[in-house]
């Protein structure tokens, strides 16, 4: 492996290019016409424009990416996350072109992409899954019987889904038919595959995932967990490790199960096994993600390993240089996702020009950022600007460092999640570590920016305008009491 093409943009492209350069690989960046000024283009040895801003014509354009790899003489391709990272057809085309795809095989991506198939595979190897039914869901009678045996409430999920799309919670038998039709229609529209399956619906669960690394020599380890329960509409916004919900015994047991799940498909490279953890502490396999994840840095901080470098070293055939017993979790790490979105308006994307970006720094602070002052945040792409990650000897130190870093972070020109995250990190429930998947709707149902000065500014402008427009001296009361602030202040009165 000599020359790596990074088929992505933004912070993850920067992250991968840094790892590749430290390993002395030559690097090729790709970019769309909208992204020519982004940092990832400058960080690479070479850069190729792969098409217009529309991702379907650039970062998702398989022909253009494969052509760029061929003309630039790349022998490996890192897909990052999103875009083509979990597309088995693209991975297969890379394999067939003799281009090392930095990730698992196309067969593994395909198998794990189908939630019914992955459930069956891991179950056969003793991995616990949520009690459910993956038989033919077209037959309403059979489905009703299965749901009744499982016990209501139940949840319908798309086989080709993951990440929450098309899920339907069903509370009683009479709701099943409508929910089934809706779930199948949404699944077909989103994934072109209407197959769905059924699980018991767990109330107020936690979402905990385990990082996996497997090499080409049969070595497979887990790098402990990440607690990802703080989500809004199935998008994580704060992640941390270790989880406040696991004791050493449960952590070790879940880690072993995660390795078993990965081994059951002969997993290679970095991957993530997702679990749902019930309130009684029981845990169940949900799905496996076959890519590097957004939240990988917190694992790097507590293990001391560079996960992206290991992805590249594994892809080059190098064996893992350590065993499970040599791995330790040390300290605590928290990640906050900084999006160009308006948290006061339902997280509406806030594209625009970054008129100023000043990153926080100092002990235990890392900011994985894909943009600099002057860059345009395009509405064509995911609105993630950067990931702010803090490390501490313990959770409270990591939390306080995060609050300090969030205060020191300046982003002007677009609305961001920064003020919202300050309130999340300061919330008593977060301080206590009682983080469940309903954290945001439960504590931040309708949130308004406490530092938003817009209302005050409008009042001041209105007062100034009123003062200018009002004719002085014509009112006899002002003439007689001109030193009385209750009359002379006019519209400036509080
Ligand atoms: C569940 C669940 C409860 N029971 N599965 C959401 C993301 C996806 N990876 C799995 N998700 C869930 N799966 C069972 N068996 C609860 C969630 C869930 C959720 C479900 C509906 C609406 C909002 C949710 C928020 C977080 C987690």
């Amino acid at each position: 492996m000599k020359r790596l093409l990074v088929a992505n943009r933004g912070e993850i492209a920067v992250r991968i290019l840094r790892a590749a350069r430290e390993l002395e690989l030559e690097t090729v960046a790709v970019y769309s016409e909208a992204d020519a000024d982004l940092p990832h283009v400058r960080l690479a040895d070479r850069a190729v424009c792969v098409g217009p801003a529309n991702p379907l014509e650039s970062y998702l354009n398989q022909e253009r990416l494969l052509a760029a790899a061929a003309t630039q003489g790349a022998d490996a391709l890192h897909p990052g996350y999103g875009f083509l990272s979990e597309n088995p057809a693209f991975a297969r085309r890379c394999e067939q072109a003799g281009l090392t795809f930095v990730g698992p095989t196309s067969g593994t991506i395909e198998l794990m992409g189908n939630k019914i198939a992955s459930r069956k595979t891991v179950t056969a190897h003793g991995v616990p899954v949520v009690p459910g039914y993956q038989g033919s869901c077209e037959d309403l009678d059979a489905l009703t019987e299965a749901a009744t045996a499982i016990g209501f409430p139940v949840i319908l999920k798309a086989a080709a889904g993951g990440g929450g799309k098309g899920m339907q919670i069903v509370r009683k038998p009479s709701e099943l038919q409508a929910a089934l039709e809706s779930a199948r229609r949404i699944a077909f529209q989103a994934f072109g595959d209407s197959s769905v399956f059924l699980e018991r619906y767990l109330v107020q669960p936690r979402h905990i995932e385990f990082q996996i690394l497997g090499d080409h020599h049969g070595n497979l380890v887990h790098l402990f967990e990440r607690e990802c329960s703080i989500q809004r509409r199935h998008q994580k916004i704060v992640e941390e490790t270790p989880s406040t919900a696991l004791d050493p015994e449960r952590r070790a047991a879940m880690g072993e199960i995660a390795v078993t799940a990965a081994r059951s498909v002969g997993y290679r490279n970095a991957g993530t096994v997702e679990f749902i953890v019930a309130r009684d502490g029981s845990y169940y396999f949900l799905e496996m993600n076959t890519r590097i994840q957004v939240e990988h840095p917190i694992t790097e901080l507590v293990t001391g390993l560079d996960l992206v470098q290991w992805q590249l070293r594994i892809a080059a055939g190098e064996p893992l240089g350590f065993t499970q017993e040599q791995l330790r979790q040390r300290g605590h790490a928290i990640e906050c996702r900084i999006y160009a979105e308006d948290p006061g308006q339902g997280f509406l994307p806030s594209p625009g020009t970054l008129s100023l970006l000043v990153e926080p720094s100092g002990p235990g602070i890392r900011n994985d950022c894909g943009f600099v002052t002057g860059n345009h945040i395009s509405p064509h792409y995911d609105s993630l600007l950067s990931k702010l990650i803090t490390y501490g000897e313990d959770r409270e130190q990591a939390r306080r460092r995060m609050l300090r870093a969030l205060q020191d972070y300046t982003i002007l020109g677009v609305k961001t999640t920064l003020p919202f995250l300050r309130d999340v990190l300061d919330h008593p429930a977060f301080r206590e570590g009682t983080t469940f998947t309903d954290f945001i709707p439960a504590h931040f149902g309708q949130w308004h920016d406490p530092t938003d000065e817009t209302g005050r500014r409008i009042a001041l402008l209105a007062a100034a305008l009123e003062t200018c427009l009002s004719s002085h001296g014509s009112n006899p009361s002002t003439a007689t009491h001109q030193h009385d602030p209750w009359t002379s202040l006019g519209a400036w009165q509080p």
Side-chain angles (χ1 to χ4, degrees):
M1 223 163 90
K2 276 199 158 64
R3 189 173 295 168
L4 178 76
L5 183 138
V6 179
N8 216 299
R9 67 187 294 280
E11 70 84 20
I12 194 64
V14 168
R15 171 74 191 86
I16 297 163
L17 287 163
R18 286 177 174 152
R21 285 176 49 199
E22 288 168 21
L23 291 173
E24 299 184 322
L25 292 171
E26 294 171 6
T27 53
V28 184
V30 297
Y31 61 97
S32 72
E33 286 163 13
D35 284 352
D37 292 331
L38 294 196
H40 79 272
V41 178
R42 285 159 210 222
L43 274 182
D45 298 320
R46 305 142 173 260
V48 190
C49 181
V50 286
N54 180 350
L56 287 170
E57 300 178 64
S58 48
Y59 300 105
L60 286 168
N61 186 330
Q62 301 188 23
E63 282 72 30
R64 288 287 200 99
L65 293 168
L66 292 168
T71 56
Q72 297 297 316
D75 50 15
L77 180 146
H78 196 309
Y81 54 68
F83 293 127
L84 294 167
S85 60
E86 292 179 285
N87 183 318
F90 182 64
R92 191 164 298 118
R93 288 180 71 174
C94 290
E95 290 161 3
Q96 284 164 354
L99 191 60
T100 300
F101 182 84
V102 182
T105 63
S106 57
T108 300
I109 298 172
E110 185 161 34
L111 175 60
M112 286 304 182
N114 187 305
K115 308 308 161 193
I116 297 177
S118 63
R119 241 178 95 95
K120 284 183 179 156
T121 305
V122 303
T123 306
H125 289 79
V127 172
V129 298
V130 185
Y133 175 71
Q134 55 271 302
S136 164
C137 281
E138 288 97 283
D139 181 352
L140 188 65
D141 289 338
L143 193 68
T144 309
E145 194 180 314
T148 307
I150 292 161
F152 285 88
V154 295
I155 183 166
L156 281 165
K157 299 182 176 182
K165 209 164 198 176
M167 297 191 330
Q168 294 280 327
I169 300 161
V170 189
R171 307 206 173 266
K172 48 183 193 282
S174 62
E175 293 174 2
L176 253 178
Q177 184 170 13
L180 178 65
E181 285 165 9
S182 168
R184 289 176 64 86
R185 189 181 56 244
I186 295 168
F188 187 77
Q189 281 165 4
F191 314 111
D193 175 357
S194 59
S195 3
V196 296
F197 64 105
L198 192 74
E199 281 182 353
R200 173 185 292 153
Y201 180 67
L202 304 180
V203 178
Q204 217 191 30
R206 289 188 188 243
H207 178 121
I208 297 178
E209 59 189 28
F210 275 72
Q211 177 69 52
I212 294 294
L213 273 185
D215 65 16
H216 294 201
H217 309 274
N219 302 302
L220 196 59
V221 297
H222 73 81
L223 303 179
F224 311 101
E225 81 279 14
R226 293 184 288 258
E227 160 80 60
C228 303
S229 295
I230 301 189
Q231 314 191 351
R232 50 137 203 113
R233 279 187 259 115
H234 306 302
Q235 187 177 59
K236 298 164 189 167
I237 55 172
V238 179
E239 303 97 348
E240 65 177 311
T241 185
S243 166
T244 58
L246 299 186
D247 58 26
E249 288 71 39
R250 184 148 279 142
R251 174 174 296 115
M254 287 176 78
E256 262 182 58
I257 293 287
V259 169
T260 301
R263 209 179 282 290
S264 75
V265 295
Y267 201 87
R268 288 173 175 186
N269 217 284
T272 299
V273 179
E274 284 187 11
F275 292 96
I276 192 161
V277 181
R279 278 154 63 101
D280 67 1
S282 55
Y283 52 88
Y284 309 95
F285 171 92
L286 269 188
E287 55 191 71
M288 183 162 189
N289 301 318
T290 55
R291 58 173 190 273
I292 189 76
Q293 293 206 207
V294 176
E295 59 272 24
H296 76 274
I298 57 173
T299 298
E300 300 188 314
L301 294 190
V302 299
T303 61
L305 295 172
D306 185 319
L307 275 172
V308 180
Q309 278 196 11
W310 272 110
Q311 283 195 290
L312 297 168
R313 292 163 73 168
I314 289 167
E318 200 177 310
L320 288 180
F322 47 84
T323 62
Q324 187 69 57
E325 292 66 41
Q326 292 173 308
L327 292 168
R328 291 282 177 277
Q329 255 174 329
R330 187 194 152 115
H332 201 99
I334 304 174
E335 172 179 283
C336 284
R337 299 195 189 182
I338 317 300
Y339 287 98
E341 293 176 358
D342 185 351
Q345 283 197 68
F347 297 90
L348 195 72
S350 176
T353 300
L354 287 174
S355 49
L356 185 66
L357 187 140
V358 183
E359 298 180 62
S361 58
I365 291 172
R366 163 173 166 183
N367 190 40
D368 279 18
C369 186
F371 305 90
V372 291
T373 295
N375 283 161
H376 304 286
I377 304 307
S378 164
H380 283 103
Y381 311 109
D382 183 85
S383 50
L384 185 70
L385 293 176
S386 87
K387 303 176 321 202
L388 183 56
I389 309 115
T390 60
Y391 177 83
E393 288 161 39
D394 56 25
R395 188 172 187 268
E396 188 56 12
Q397 191 181 41
R399 191 186 72 85
R400 285 175 190 226
R401 278 188 167 151
M402 182 60 81
L403 276 169
R404 201 271 287 167
L406 289 167
Q407 286 158 11
D408 287 355
Y409 206 156
T410 301
I411 299 175
L412 300 182
V414 299
K415 290 273 187 189
T416 73
T417 47
L418 278 169
F420 180 75
L421 289 163
R422 289 180 197 127
D423 283 359
V424 169
L425 270 281
D426 213 16
H427 194 279
F430 186 83
R431 268 187 250 183
E432 287 162 18
T434 48
T435 46
F436 299 95
T437 47
D438 65 353
F439 182 91
I440 298 297
H443 303 298
F444 295 90
Q446 330 129 344
W447 177 88
H448 290 285
D449 187 348
T451 64
D452 188 348
E453 300 252 296
T454 309
R456 232 171 65 86
R457 284 181 194 154
I458 289 170
L460 289 171
L461 284 168
L465 196 62
E466 161 69 20
T467 306
C468 291
L469 293 177
S470 68
S471 40
H472 294 283
S474 64
N475 186 340
S477 71
T478 5
T480 47
H481 308 286
Q482 56 181 304
H483 299 298
D484 176 355
W486 293 109
T487 48
S488 65
L489 273 175
W492 294 92
Q493 284 182 51

